[in-house]
Amino acid sequence: MTQKKKLAVFASGSGTNFEAIAAACADGRLDAEVVLMVCDKPGALVIERAQRFGIESFVFSPKSYASKADYEKEIVEMLQARQVDLVCLAGYMRIVSDVLLNAYRGKIINIHPSLLPAFKGAHAVEDAVAYGVKVYGITIHFVDETLDGGKIIAQRAFPYEGNDPAEVHRLGQKIEHEIYVDTIRKLLI
Ligand code: GAR
């Protein structure tokens, strides 16, 4: 029997994408295991979700480290000790540095709620609604040292003609949970 691939999921907030990935691992849709959840926001809802799935968490406060390199070194050690194959950023609202990239280049992916390269950043949906966009979308891409940059792996578009960001988030998240699991499955083959 081949060993299951090992995933780490990084998140800063609610963690619905984390949960979609963890659930797909638990019910066999993904032949993989989430071995670590990394969260930079003590108190974030994703921490409770990880507990429910019995998944180990590393929760840290960036403020309590002298630099990004310092906390990323600690994270890389944890990833290597657990032999992580793929790092999935799922609402992890930080740019990663060379420390993580050099250790896991080509093995870190991110999900973003726009059709990149349009609408990068933390307010992609709100910015797109303000712009009057009529076709929205979700992108999964390899991570590089730039904000929401890196080669695109998968995209899915959906039409929406209204002006309610909450509705775009709702429509988009349904798609995110499917496309993230599908993309991870393809990358792990
Ligand atoms: C997701 O919509 C994801 O696309 C977005 O954060 C949300 C996290 O939701 N990521 C970015 O904006 C990255 N720039 P979740 O915590 O419910 O998974």
Side-chain angles (χ1 to χ4, degrees), residues 4 24 30 36 42 47-48 66 77-78 84 88 102 104-105 110 112 120 148 157 159 172 185 188:
K4 278 184 196 285
L30 276 179
L36 187 66
I47 299 162
E48 277 175 49
E77 277 168 24
M78 296 186 78
V84 166
C88 305
N102 290 341
Y104 276 88
R105 198 171 287 278
N110 180 44
H112 184 74
K120 297 180 177 188
D148 298 319
R185 186 182 307 109
L188 292 180

Side-chain angles (χ1 to χ4, degrees), residues 1-132:
M1 208 176 86
T2 54
Q3 242 208 341
K4 278 184 196 285
K5 297 283 185 182
K6 293 181 171 138
L7 308 177
V9 180
F10 289 30
S12 303
S14 165
T16 65
N17 281 283
F18 162 82
E19 176 147 354
I21 295 165
C25 290
D27 68 20
R29 279 174 295 135
L30 276 179
D31 191 18
E33 183 187 358
V34 181
V35 294
L36 187 66
M37 191 283 290
V38 173
C39 177
D40 63 328
K41 287 267 177 337
L45 188 56
V46 68
I47 299 162
E48 277 175 49
R49 293 189 201 262
Q51 276 163 0
R52 251 191 284 130
F53 279 87
I55 291 170
E56 183 188 6
S57 294
F58 174 59
V59 182
F60 69 101
S61 248
K63 286 194 302 280
S64 58
Y65 289 81
S67 70
K68 183 179 287 201
D70 283 331
Y71 66 71
E72 284 197 356
K73 266 183 215 148
E74 205 169 311
I75 292 171
V76 166
E77 277 168 24
M78 296 186 78
L79 298 175
Q80 288 174 339
R82 287 156 187 74
Q83 298 181 306
V84 166
D85 297 292
L86 185 69
V87 173
C88 305
L89 307 188
Y92 180 68
M93 302 310 250
R94 292 189 176 271
I95 295 178
V96 301
S97 85
D98 274 357
V99 174
L100 195 57
L101 281 168
N102 290 341
Y104 276 88
R105 198 171 287 278
K107 294 180 181 171
I108 311 177
I109 61 175
N110 180 44
I111 190 159
H112 184 74
S114 77
L115 292 172
L116 289 173
F119 304 112
K120 297 180 177 188
H123 310 290
V125 167
E126 289 71 16
D127 293 347
V129 170
Y131 214 87

